[in-house]
Every structure is written in structure tokens, then in C-alpha cells.
């Protein structure tokens, strides 16, 4: 039951993201006077639709994307012009042009998309990805500003019996061993103690305490703790121990007292949220840069039986399964489930933002690139004292668009197959 709820919750979030992406295109297109005949969420057979004014709004069966249909996406063929493509490719271009312009009427005139200025074209095409970016910002701010990030508290969870280097595989303490060292906290601190100050300086977060303790090896410290509701002062002297310096596995010598703390969700400050956002932006750019090698890894999984890359590409089916696993996990608390689902949806929207900006047709970034070329050509025309309307004929890029679309379709099918046969799971 919880698994199904997780899948449904993520599916609703994803559909809402798709719908808002298309609204990001729809609103400026209508604002600039473009005639929009369809606003659809999904592809394939129409499940539901309703016409309002000149636009049909609807939901389709396959929730893998969405679209709005704008009149006059490509210009008419200039009289007497010839395609630079070979004959068969040229015929393909003109077939696409004819299909694209079937709904254009003489009354449309300046209401055709191609007749917009380059700046307005870019606003329309960037509206969708910008909406995904806005969703990412809103979800991230709500997640870390209202729920927070699970982090260590200043309350003692357990006390170590002895001093053990972080790099050691030792599981137990042997008092008879020659290298046995009693933990400084052993017999001093107790589970449930909350550290409120060190040497009189208030401690708000565990990171504050760590900073003081690590810098105070062999130096006596006075801890103020709250024990059973009452303030108590204790003396403790950290010892030098080998600790991990960061997540890379590098080590350092630092002060150590031998305790672990409890964890709870702690709301982040605006500055900390900004740092998280910048970190996520960097990770998304890195993920796109690794896209080609992810394709190679996916091909190896599907055709050679290689193990699935647990940090590789994942599709709608895989994301739905992950959402279901999060909701169904008995080891994850309710607030953790909510946090993970929100974080997952925010990450998907951020990746959609960057992916749609790729300067390739039929992606939004391809149309933006066309508008930039058009603006550049118009600029040169003005410099040559030959100001005139210049429209980039994106129909000429149809063969390239078909190649890109074919690659995306094949990739989507491979991801879908891998998500079913060798899914990425939380346990891995």
C-alpha cells in the first residue's frame, strides 16, 4: 500500500512539473499574441480534453512529457529557394514544413511563432526550463527552510569505551591490549546529556562543538551539559586520534572525546540554503557532462549483461520505483520519506532545466539557439545598412532534429528496459 502511494505521489509531482513546464511556454506565447491550438500533458491517446477559446487543454496517456502547439513554428518556403540538403532530405524538410503549416490561416499573419522577434522567441522557449528551475528553487527552499537537513545534535547518543582510530576495523575494546586507551568521555558523559557550552562559550550546533574539541587535543575543557533537565559542569581532556578529514577518505590528527550524537532535522539558514543550491547546480552540470559515458554504461547493462550503474541514468519507471521504495521502507521515518521524495522531485526538475537547455532540436535549447542565430544575422544586416526581417528557417534542421529525436527515443527505451529488468534500488 505504501509502495503504491509513493509511486502515485511521485507521479503526481512529475505530472505537475510537466504541466508547469508547458505553462511556462504557454503564458508568454499567448502574451505575445501567438495562436496556441493545444496544451497537452503527456503523449499518445488523449484521455481528457476541453477547449477554451482557441486552445484545447488535455491529458494524454503516456506521461513522458508534454507540449503546446503554436501556429507557424517554421516560416513558409521562400519563393524560388532550394534546399541545401540532398533531394530526399529536401523532400523530408518540405513534408515537415507542410505538416507544420496545415493549421495556418491567412488571418493568423503576425500571430505565427516564427514572426516573433528573436527576443520574444527566446522568452517563450526559455519559459519551460525556467519553470523547472523555479520549481527546484521552491522545493529546495521549502525542504531545507521548513523541514531542514538531518544533522547531528548536541545531545549524546552513545559513549565509546575506548579510543579507536576512524580507519580501524576494530569492533570491540580490549582493556588488556597494549594500545588500549580509555575514551575521555567514558565515565564522564552519559547518553542523553546535551552539551550547551564549552569553556563558557554557547554551543548551538554539533559542528560548533567539533571545531573546539578537534582543536583542543591534550587541553582540559569545561563542558556545560543539561542532564535530567539540570545544568551540570564537567571537565574533559580530548586526546589526539586519527579522524577522517572529509568524504574523500583523507585523514587528520585531531582532538577526540569518544561520543556519538543523536540526529534530528535542523532548519538551514538562508546562507546555508544558498550553498546547498549552488552545490546541486554543480552536481547537475557534472551529471550532464557524464551523460555520454552513462549511455555507454547503459548499453553494457542491456546488451552485455553488465551490472547496473547505481548512479547511472534512470527513467520515469525507475524514478517511480524509487519513490515507492522510499514510501514503503520500514527503516525510514515518515519525515525522512517526505524529505527524500521532495528532494528527488527537486533534483529531477533541476536536471530537466539543464537538459532542455541543450542547443539541440527538438529541445527548447535548440529553438533558443535558432533565435540567437536569427538575432545575430539581423544585427549584421543592420550594420550593412540593409535592415530587413530575417527569419531562421528551422525546418532546414529537420534531418538533424530527427537524428537527435531518434537517439533520445532509443535511449529512453533502453532506460525503460533497464528500469524494469535491472532497476536501481535504494538498497544498492
Amino acid at each position: 500500500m505504501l509502495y503504491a502511494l509513493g509511486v502515485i505521489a511521485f507521479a503526481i509531482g512529475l505530472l505537475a512539473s510537466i504541466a508547469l513546464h508547458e505553462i511556462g511556454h504557454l503564458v508568454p506565447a499567448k502574451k505575445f499574441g501567438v495562436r496556441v491550438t493545444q496544451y497537452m500533458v503527456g503523449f499518445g491517446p488523449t484521455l481528457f480534453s476541453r477547449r477554451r477559446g482557441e486552445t484545447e487543454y488535455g491529458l494524454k496517456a503516456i506521461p513522458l512529457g508534454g507540449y503546446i502547439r503554436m501556429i507557424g513554428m517554421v516560416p513558409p518556403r521562400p519563393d524560388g529557394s532550394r534546399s541545401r540538403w540532398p533531394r530526399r532530405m529536401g523532400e523530408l524538410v518540405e513534408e515537415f514544413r507542410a505538416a507544420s503549416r496545415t493549421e495556418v490561416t491567412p488571418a493568423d499573419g503576425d500571430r505565427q511563432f516564427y514572426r516573433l522577434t528573436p527576443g520574444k522567441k527566446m522568452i517563450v522557449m526559455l519559459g519551460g526550463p525556467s519553470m523547472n528551475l523555479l520549481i527546484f528553487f521552491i522545493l529546495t527552499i521549502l525542504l531545507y527552510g521548513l523541514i531542514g537537513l538531518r544533522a547531528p545534535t548536541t545531545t549524546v547518543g552513545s559513549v565509546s569505551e575506548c579510543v579507536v582510530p576512524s580507519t580501524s576495523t576494530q569492533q570491540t575494546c580490549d582493556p588488556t591490549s597494549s594500545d588500549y586507551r580509555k575514551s575521555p568521555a567514558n565515565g564522564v558523559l552519559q547518553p542523553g546529556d546535551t552539551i550547551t557550552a564549552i569553556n563558557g562559550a554557547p554551543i548551538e550546533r554539533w559542528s560548533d562543538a567539533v571545531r573546539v574539541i578537534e582543536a583542543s587535543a591534550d587541553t582540559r575543557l569545561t563542558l556545560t551539559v543539561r542532564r535530567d533537565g539540570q545544568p551540570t559542569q564537567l571537565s574533559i581532556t580530548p586526546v589526539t586520534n586519527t579522524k577522517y578529514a572529509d568524504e574523500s577518505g583523507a585523514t587528520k590528527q585531531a582532538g577526540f572525546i569518544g561520543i556519538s550524537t543523536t540526529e534530528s532535522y535542523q532548519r538551514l539558514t538562508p546562507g546555508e540554503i544558498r550553498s546547498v543550491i549552488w552545490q546541486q547546480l554543480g552536481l547537475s552540470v557534472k551529471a550532464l557532462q557524464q551523460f555520454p559515458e552513462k549511455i555507454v554504461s547503459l548499453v553494457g547493462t542491456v546488451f552485455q549483461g553488465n551490472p547496473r550503474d547505481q548512479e547511472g541514468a534512470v527513467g520515469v519507471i525507475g524514478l517511480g520505483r524509487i519513490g515507492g521504495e522510499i514510501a514503503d521502507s520500514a527503516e525510514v521515518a515518515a519525515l525522512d520519506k517526505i524529505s527524500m521524495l521532495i528532494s528527488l522531485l527537486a533534483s529531477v526538475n533541476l536536471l530537466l532545466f539543464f537538459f532542455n537547455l541543450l542547443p539541440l532540436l527538438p529541445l527548447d535549447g535548440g529553438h533558443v539557439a535558432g533565435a540567437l542565430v536569427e538575432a545575430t544575422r539581423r544585427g549584421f544586416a543592420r550594420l550593412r545598412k540593409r535592415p530587413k526581417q530575417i527569419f531562421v528557417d528551422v525546418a532546414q534542421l529537420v534531418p538533424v532534429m530527427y537524428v537527435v529525436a531518434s537517439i533520445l527515443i532509443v535511449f529512453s527505451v533502453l532506460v525503460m528496459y533497464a528500469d524494469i529488468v535491472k532497476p536501481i534500488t535504494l538498497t544498492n
Side-chain angles (χ1 to χ4, degrees), residues 211-241:
R211 189 162 46 249
V212 176
I213 293 169
E214 289 190 341
S216 303
D218 303 320
T219 301
R220 180 181 291 273
L221 300 175
T222 299
L223 305 183
T224 302
V225 303
R226 187 170 61 251
R227 178 178 293 175
D228 299 327
Q230 300 297 320
T232 302
Q233 286 198 334
L234 305 169
S235 293
I236 194 168
T237 302
V239 297
T240 302
N241 191 23

Side-chain angles (χ1 to χ4, degrees), residues 21 50 65 107 142 167 267 309 330 414:
H21 174 101
R50 176 175 296 178
L142 291 176
T167 54
R267 294 178 180 177
D309 180 3
L414 292 179

Side-chain angles (χ1 to χ4, degrees), residues 265-287:
Y265 278 95
Q266 301 173 29
R267 294 178 180 177
L268 303 187
T269 65
E272 290 171 331
I273 294 175
R274 185 168 57 250
S275 296
V276 170
I277 288 174
W278 277 112
Q279 181 184 34
Q280 292 297 320
L281 290 172
L283 290 173
S284 294
V285 172
K286 184 178 179 180

